[in-house]
Amino acid sequence: MQDTRALALTFEVSGLPPVRTEALSIFAAGHRQATRVRALLQAACAAAQRTGWTPLSGPVEVDLVLRCPPGHRTSDASTLLGGVCAVLQDKKRVASIGLAHLGVLVDVALYDDDRQIRRLSYVEEPAEDFSYQVRVAAVPNVV
């Protein structure tokens, strides 16, 4: 029987992506990135439900396109990618900090673990308002 799961998922989010810049988990209740984390989880959840997405367990690639007003860069690419990738992985491995405040969003995962990432890309585009696009896709296993 043929596997009919979607192998790529692309979605848009208004505002800025969460950044990962400190030892404190961005999932901690009251973290200053909480609004951004929640916005990303809600957008990922809606896209996954719309397409029937199931979390990938093999190699993945993650693409991030940040749209921002010229001259208003917010953070460096590595902290933006780190924040997005942390949010999109399965959060059960960080359950030691308590994730009840996320409600049903705690179950939103596009892949199991960020150790699966084999390719990353980051692009900035000029725009009037901040927004970003995320694409997660399966990477074919190469033997």
Side-chain angles (χ1 to χ4, degrees):
M1 182 167 228
Q2 183 178 2
D3 185 359
T4 58
R5 291 185 311 161
L7 296 178
L9 183 67
T10 303
F11 58 94
E12 301 281 333
V13 186
S14 295
L16 290 166
V19 295
R20 192 172 189 180
T21 60
E22 55 195 70
L24 179 66
S25 172
I26 61 175
F27 298 113
H31 192 282
R32 61 188 180 134
Q33 296 293 311
T35 302
R36 294 180 188 186
V37 167
R38 188 168 287 281
L40 177 53
L41 286 172
Q42 289 170 335
C45 182
Q49 288 176 338
R50 199 170 44 251
T51 63
W53 183 266
T54 56
L56 298 173
S57 58
V60 299
E61 64 182 48
V62 179
D63 305 318
L64 175 62
V65 177
L66 176 68
R67 296 182 191 94
C68 57
H72 288 86
R73 189 165 199 239
T74 62
S75 296
D76 60 76
S78 64
T79 59
L80 292 165
L81 285 165
V84 167
C85 292
V87 171
L88 296 179
Q89 70 182 342
D90 188 337
K91 283 150 281 309
K92 290 176 184 74
R93 62 188 206 78
V94 295
S96 61
I97 64 165
L99 301 174
H101 63 280
L102 291 175
V104 297
L105 295 176
V106 73
D107 293 323
V108 175
L110 301 187
Y111 49 90
D112 297 332
D113 189 288
D114 59 9
R115 291 183 189 115
Q116 294 168 243
I117 298 171
R118 299 296 181 268
R119 297 182 196 145
L120 284 170
S121 72
Y122 173 81
V123 175
E124 286 185 16
E125 295 178 350
E128 285 189 30
D129 298 311
F130 288 104
S131 68
Y132 59 104
Q133 179 186 72
V134 177
R135 179 179 173 273
V136 174
V139 174
N141 284 319
V142 179
V143 181

